[in-house]
């Protein structure tokens, strides 16, 4: 599941994931409220979650998603993780498994090979670990 208020980022990450044969996007949402409402129905192994979003931010949505689906793997992908270590630590304390700093701009996300590779590596690794435990 990809949760980000930027349609560009959601689409780009979705395409990257869909290009990988062993993983797939089961849902994509523009805010935390929609993700919380859908997490049981879409049943993702991994959620890529932004922090700053309208209606419900990632830090508010994170514990609500975990309450509905214990064992869910959540990777925080946000520009805030680069600027604010305190928010990253809070997300980890709320149950996120990992975090990744997004480039500061949508064009930076589009052109960053390093961000793409690291995100896909984390999704594959953490998703596989969750499936082994299940």
């Amino acid at each position: 599941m990809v949760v980000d208020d930027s349609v560009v980022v959601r689409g780009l990450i979705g395409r990257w994931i869909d290009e990988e044969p062993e993983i797939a996007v089961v849902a994509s949402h523009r805010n935390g409220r929609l993700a919380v409402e859908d997490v049981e129905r879409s049943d993702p192994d991994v959620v890529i979650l932004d922090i700053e979003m309208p209606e419900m931010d990632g830090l508010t949505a994170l514990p609500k998603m975990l309450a509905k689906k214990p064992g869910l793997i959540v990777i925080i992908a946000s520009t805030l993780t680069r600027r604010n270590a305190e928010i990253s630590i809070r997300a980890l304390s709320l149950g996120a498994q990992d975090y990744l700093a997004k480039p500061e701009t949508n064009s930076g996300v589009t052109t960053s090979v390093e961000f793409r590779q690291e995100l896909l590596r984390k999704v594959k690794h953490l998703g596989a670990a969750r499936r082994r435990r299940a």
Side-chain angles (χ1 to χ4, degrees):
M1 176 186 284
V2 180
V3 186
D4 197 297
D5 60 323
S6 167
V7 68
V8 172
V9 172
R10 283 193 319 269
L12 189 61
I13 291 174
R15 283 191 298 280
W16 293 345
I17 290 171
D18 287 341
E19 290 173 3
E20 300 295 319
E22 66 271 25
I23 56 179
V25 175
V26 296
S28 180
H29 298 293
R30 68 179 183 270
N31 63 54
R33 181 185 58 79
L34 296 170
V36 169
E37 291 171 359
D38 184 49
V39 73
E40 290 172 302
R41 185 193 62 74
S42 62
D43 195 30
D45 290 324
V46 177
V47 173
I48 301 163
L49 183 65
D50 190 16
I51 296 291
E52 289 187 314
M53 295 179 288
E55 293 189 51
M56 184 184 290
D57 65 38
L59 291 179
T60 303
L62 175 59
K64 293 176 185 288
M65 286 192 294
L66 292 172
K68 286 187 167 198
K69 189 169 188 240
L72 178 66
I73 302 295
V74 179
I75 301 169
I76 300 296
S78 176
T79 54
L80 287 177
T81 57
R82 181 185 309 273
R83 296 191 315 261
N84 194 334
E86 184 178 307
I87 290 174
S88 299
I89 291 168
R90 177 134 187 260
L92 293 171
S93 73
L94 290 171
Q97 294 293 313
D98 209 338
Y99 64 91
L100 181 62
K102 277 194 308 195
E104 296 289 326
T105 64
N106 284 349
S107 64
V109 172
T110 303
T111 59
S112 177
V113 173
E114 181 181 298
F115 174 72
R116 176 183 180 163
Q117 289 173 341
E118 186 66 11
L119 180 67
L120 291 172
R121 185 187 68 74
K122 288 177 185 281
V123 169
K124 289 177 187 177
H125 174 75
L126 292 170
R130 183 183 187 285
R131 286 187 299 279
R132 280 193 300 272
R133 286 193 312 265

